[in-house]
Structure formats: C-alpha cells, structure tokens
Amino acid sequence: MIEPRLNYVWCAGAAHTATAGHEAQHRMAYWEWNATGDPQHPHVIVCVHGLTRQGRDFDVLAQRLARQARVVCPDVAGRGHSDWLADPMAYQVPQYAADMLALLAQVHQQAPITTLDWVGTSMGGLIGMAIAGQPGLPLPAPVRRLVLNDVGPAIAWQALQRIGQYLGQPVRFDSQEQAAAALWAISTSFGPHTQAQWLALSQPMLRPLPGGGFGLHYDPALAVPFKTMTEETALAGEAVLWQLYDQIQARTLLLRGADSDLLTAATAQAMAQRGPRAQRVEFAGVGHAPTLVADDQVAAVQAFLQEAA
C-alpha cells in the first residue's frame, strides 16, 4: 500500500500562533498521493473534506485514484496539520478558496498541471463550486471534472442546526476506541461501516492532549462564524451559490445519500436541470455524507473521472 506525503503551503491570512517571518500568513497542510510512477504527472485531482473533517478522509479513494493522477488532499485551515487562524470569522469559503488557489499554484510550480479535477465532500464541494464557478480565477488549468459529494447551493436549515449542536464543543477521550465510538454516535448518517473502516476514519480526527487522552483535531473557533448564521443569511448565501453553480463549465457529478438531511432530493433535481446539469448517483442507506470508502461509492467517482471526454 502506498503512503501519502505530507506537504505545506503558505497562504495569506494570519495564523493563531504566528511564525517568524510569516506574521501575516498561515500554513496549510496537504497530503499528496502518487502511484503513477511519474512524480511530475500532469493530471491532478484535488479532494477536499467536510466541515469538521481532514484530508485523510480520502485515504481509500486516493489510493485508487493515485494510479492515474497526483491526488492532493488538503487539511483545510483550522483542521488536521494546518495552522489555526487568528481571526475565527475567516473560517469561511472565501478564505478557503483563496488558500486552494495558493495550493494549486505551488503544486503547479513543482510540476505543471494540465488536467485538473475536484472532489469535494460537503464544505469541500462548496469550495469546489467557488473555484469552478468563478471565471477568470488564476487556475493552472480549468476544472475539468467536478464531483460534489452530498452538497449543493441550497443547504437544508435543519441540517445546519444539527451540525451546530456539536460543532466546537470541548471533548476529551481516554482512548482512540472511545473517541471512535463517540464520533460514530454523531455520524451514523454516514452509512454502514465496519469497525476497522470507522477506526481508520477516526484516528486522523484526534490529537493527543498534554495531560493525556485525546481531543479533536480542529480549532473549536470554527463554530464562531457558524453560530452567527441565521436562516435569512443562509438564504442570502444560497443565492450566491446558485450563481456560482450556474457558471460552472466542468462536467459535474452529484453524489447524494438517499437519506441526506442536508441535500434534499428537490435540490439535487434542480442541479440536474440547470448550470452544468449534474449527473446524479444516489446511495441507499446513507445520509449526509457518503464517506467514499464503500466500493460502490469509490467506483462511482473513479468511473466518472476516467470517462472519455
């Protein structure tokens, strides 16, 4: 089994803990997978995780895709191995999209990108819409294929309220197994997983605490902008997201958990009828969001990215 390489890129915006010489910047971590045999392979697939997750969520998918491309899986700012931000209100899509442009510029400088694909789960899909839906961005190559995993321009308010109940809450676990069980209690909508699969997904979500035990990997301040959101501001954001979606030129695949409380069937249908007219695949017995670990989910993404133009 191949292993990913951990890299970093400096991005604009101050970190919570400043680094000498980089006072106005933060460092974003990213994991790069490559089993092509060519360290300069020109096809790059960027995989971006959901709100409280991190780049190792894509280990199973990335191992499969890395046979055909360089696969880049960032830890979005405030998560995983990336710096926490000085300003909690910066934990929003515009900052994340700017960080991704810095990431792509660095990857392109290391080895030119001629084909660019994007896989985004939940928040990662919103960032993908911002990247693919704004003509004129300084991308090394246009986004060719876009996979939106259980997310669209319209996000059900009740789902946002559910997420807000646990986001940023202080927690401490005695063991990784205890943590995995607790994470499962708020993640059963992800659908069936074996114990081994869930433990593999859970371990990168944890960081050792100074006094012993484990805490979650992300900055609790992620909750600050989330808690300022109202149903009215969410609707205003939805109008902007539809505008971005309608401008997407990339061929688009929309994955949906059939039981999702975040992406409604009506929104998925609208996404198939406007903008890039997304091709849809739905997974029974899964809510928000498919983890892209199960064979059928991996196969759906792989087939879409490998289809002839």
Side-chain angles (χ1 to χ4, degrees), residues 163-179:
I163 294 166
Q165 290 175 354
Y166 64 78
L167 181 63
Q169 295 297 320
V171 292
R172 181 192 170 281
F173 307 108
D174 293 327
S175 67
Q176 292 183 343
E177 290 74 18
Q178 182 191 43

mmCIF file of all heavy atoms in Angstrom, residues 163-179:
data_model
loop_
_atom_site.group_PDB
_atom_site.id
_atom_site.type_symbol
_atom_site.label_atom_id
_atom_site.label_comp_id
_atom_site.label_asym_id
_atom_site.label_seq_id
_atom_site.Cartn_x
_atom_site.Cartn_y
_atom_site.Cartn_z
ATOM 1 N N ILE A 163 -25.788 20.239 12.872
ATOM 2 C CA ILE A 163 -24.328 20.314 12.924
ATOM 3 C C ILE A 163 -23.880 21.296 14.009
ATOM 4 O O ILE A 163 -22.919 21.045 14.740
ATOM 5 C CB ILE A 163 -23.772 20.726 11.548
ATOM 6 C CG1 ILE A 163 -24.055 19.613 10.521
ATOM 7 C CG2 ILE A 163 -22.287 21.024 11.608
ATOM 8 C CD1 ILE A 163 -23.854 20.031 9.081
ATOM 9 N N GLY A 164 -24.612 22.399 14.138
ATOM 10 C CA GLY A 164 -24.258 23.407 15.134
ATOM 11 C C GLY A 164 -24.339 22.912 16.561
ATOM 12 O O GLY A 164 -23.700 23.480 17.463
ATOM 13 N N GLN A 165 -25.083 21.858 16.796
ATOM 14 C CA GLN A 165 -25.231 21.327 18.159
ATOM 15 C C GLN A 165 -23.936 20.720 18.689
ATOM 16 O O GLN A 165 -23.700 20.709 19.896
ATOM 17 C CB GLN A 165 -26.348 20.282 18.201
ATOM 18 C CG GLN A 165 -27.736 20.868 18.024
ATOM 19 C CD GLN A 165 -28.816 19.798 17.936
ATOM 20 O OE1 GLN A 165 -28.528 18.606 17.895
ATOM 21 N NE2 GLN A 165 -30.059 20.209 17.932
ATOM 22 N N TYR A 166 -23.085 20.187 17.795
ATOM 23 C CA TYR A 166 -21.850 19.558 18.281
ATOM 24 C C TYR A 166 -20.588 20.295 17.853
ATOM 25 O O TYR A 166 -19.503 20.062 18.389
ATOM 26 C CB TYR A 166 -21.772 18.097 17.827
ATOM 27 C CG TYR A 166 -21.679 17.867 16.336
ATOM 28 C CD1 TYR A 166 -20.485 18.038 15.653
ATOM 29 C CD2 TYR A 166 -22.797 17.463 15.601
ATOM 30 C CE1 TYR A 166 -20.402 17.822 14.279
ATOM 31 C CE2 TYR A 166 -22.721 17.241 14.227
ATOM 32 C CZ TYR A 166 -21.519 17.420 13.579
ATOM 33 O OH TYR A 166 -21.435 17.212 12.231
ATOM 34 N N LEU A 167 -20.699 21.221 16.902
ATOM 35 C CA LEU A 167 -19.509 21.892 16.382
ATOM 36 C C LEU A 167 -18.827 22.719 17.468
ATOM 37 O O LEU A 167 -19.440 23.560 18.110
ATOM 38 C CB LEU A 167 -19.908 22.803 15.214
ATOM 39 C CG LEU A 167 -18.768 23.565 14.536
ATOM 40 C CD1 LEU A 167 -17.777 22.597 13.892
ATOM 41 C CD2 LEU A 167 -19.325 24.520 13.480
ATOM 42 N N GLY A 168 -17.529 22.465 17.678
ATOM 43 C CA GLY A 168 -16.728 23.263 18.600
ATOM 44 C C GLY A 168 -16.892 22.923 20.062
ATOM 45 O O GLY A 168 -16.285 23.574 20.916
ATOM 46 N N GLN A 169 -17.675 21.913 20.390
ATOM 47 C CA GLN A 169 -17.848 21.539 21.790
ATOM 48 C C GLN A 169 -16.563 20.913 22.335
ATOM 49 O O GLN A 169 -15.952 20.074 21.675
ATOM 50 C CB GLN A 169 -19.007 20.545 21.939
ATOM 51 C CG GLN A 169 -20.372 21.107 21.567
ATOM 52 C CD GLN A 169 -20.788 22.246 22.475
ATOM 53 O OE1 GLN A 169 -20.570 22.211 23.686
ATOM 54 N NE2 GLN A 169 -21.380 23.277 21.888
ATOM 55 N N PRO A 170 -16.117 21.291 23.555
ATOM 56 C CA PRO A 170 -14.891 20.707 24.113
ATOM 57 C C PRO A 170 -15.105 19.233 24.466
ATOM 58 O O PRO A 170 -16.106 18.872 25.089
ATOM 59 C CB PRO A 170 -14.639 21.545 25.364
ATOM 60 C CG PRO A 170 -15.982 22.102 25.731
ATOM 61 C CD PRO A 170 -16.737 22.275 24.453
ATOM 62 N N VAL A 171 -14.186 18.401 24.047
ATOM 63 C CA VAL A 171 -14.293 16.963 24.332
ATOM 64 C C VAL A 171 -12.909 16.416 24.692
ATOM 65 O O VAL A 171 -11.879 16.958 24.291
ATOM 66 C CB VAL A 171 -14.857 16.166 23.130
ATOM 67 C CG1 VAL A 171 -16.313 16.506 22.870
ATOM 68 C CG2 VAL A 171 -14.029 16.421 21.876
ATOM 69 N N ARG A 172 -12.901 15.351 25.460
ATOM 70 C CA ARG A 172 -11.681 14.627 25.785
ATOM 71 C C ARG A 172 -12.008 13.150 25.828
ATOM 72 O O ARG A 172 -13.024 12.743 26.411
ATOM 73 C CB ARG A 172 -11.124 15.072 27.133
ATOM 74 C CG ARG A 172 -9.828 14.377 27.513
ATOM 75 C CD ARG A 172 -9.433 14.611 28.953
ATOM 76 N NE ARG A 172 -8.333 13.747 29.320
ATOM 77 C CZ ARG A 172 -8.456 12.448 29.645
ATOM 78 N NH1 ARG A 172 -9.656 11.888 29.640
ATOM 79 N NH2 ARG A 172 -7.397 11.724 29.948
ATOM 80 N N PHE A 173 -11.173 12.352 25.182
ATOM 81 C CA PHE A 173 -11.381 10.907 25.136
ATOM 82 C C PHE A 173 -10.181 10.206 25.768
ATOM 83 O O PHE A 173 -9.036 10.644 25.626
ATOM 84 C CB PHE A 173 -11.533 10.432 23.685
ATOM 85 C CG PHE A 173 -12.580 11.184 22.909
ATOM 86 C CD1 PHE A 173 -12.219 12.090 21.912
ATOM 87 C CD2 PHE A 173 -13.922 11.003 23.175
ATOM 88 C CE1 PHE A 173 -13.170 12.785 21.190
ATOM 89 C CE2 PHE A 173 -14.897 11.696 22.449
ATOM 90 C CZ PHE A 173 -14.519 12.585 21.461
ATOM 91 N N ASP A 174 -10.455 9.100 26.458
ATOM 92 C CA ASP A 174 -9.376 8.338 27.100
ATOM 93 C C ASP A 174 -8.597 7.494 26.102
ATOM 94 O O ASP A 174 -7.427 7.195 26.316
ATOM 95 C CB ASP A 174 -9.943 7.426 28.201
ATOM 96 C CG ASP A 174 -10.505 8.228 29.376
ATOM 97 O OD1 ASP A 174 -9.955 9.316 29.664
ATOM 98 O OD2 ASP A 174 -11.489 7.777 29.988
ATOM 99 N N SER A 175 -9.264 7.073 25.024
ATOM 100 C CA SER A 175 -8.620 6.189 24.058
ATOM 101 C C SER A 175 -9.165 6.475 22.667
ATOM 102 O O SER A 175 -10.211 7.111 22.510
ATOM 103 C CB SER A 175 -8.879 4.724 24.410
ATOM 104 O OG SER A 175 -10.264 4.423 24.248
ATOM 105 N N GLN A 176 -8.447 5.980 21.648
ATOM 106 C CA GLN A 176 -8.923 6.136 20.281
ATOM 107 C C GLN A 176 -10.226 5.386 20.066
ATOM 108 O O GLN A 176 -11.094 5.842 19.329
ATOM 109 C CB GLN A 176 -7.850 5.645 19.307
ATOM 110 C CG GLN A 176 -6.606 6.512 19.276
ATOM 111 C CD GLN A 176 -5.593 6.054 18.250
ATOM 112 O OE1 GLN A 176 -5.640 4.925 17.765
ATOM 113 N NE2 GLN A 176 -4.659 6.930 17.903
ATOM 114 N N GLU A 177 -10.360 4.247 20.728
ATOM 115 C CA GLU A 177 -11.585 3.450 20.582
ATOM 116 C C GLU A 177 -12.790 4.191 21.166
ATOM 117 O O GLU A 177 -13.880 4.201 20.584
ATOM 118 C CB GLU A 177 -11.409 2.094 21.265
ATOM 119 C CG GLU A 177 -10.449 1.152 20.558
ATOM 120 C CD GLU A 177 -8.978 1.540 20.739
ATOM 121 O OE1 GLU A 177 -8.661 2.322 21.673
ATOM 122 O OE2 GLU A 177 -8.134 1.068 19.944
ATOM 123 N N GLN A 178 -12.583 4.822 22.335
ATOM 124 C CA GLN A 178 -13.659 5.605 22.938
ATOM 125 C C GLN A 178 -14.032 6.776 22.028
ATOM 126 O O GLN A 178 -15.215 7.083 21.840
ATOM 127 C CB GLN A 178 -13.227 6.119 24.306
ATOM 128 C CG GLN A 178 -14.331 6.908 25.031
ATOM 129 C CD GLN A 178 -13.815 7.626 26.261
ATOM 130 O OE1 GLN A 178 -12.740 8.219 26.233
ATOM 131 N NE2 GLN A 178 -14.587 7.566 27.349
ATOM 132 N N ALA A 179 -13.016 7.408 21.454
ATOM 133 C CA ALA A 179 -13.270 8.523 20.547
ATOM 134 C C ALA A 179 -14.042 8.069 19.320
ATOM 135 O O ALA A 179 -14.981 8.737 18.877
ATOM 136 C CB ALA A 179 -11.943 9.164 20.133
#
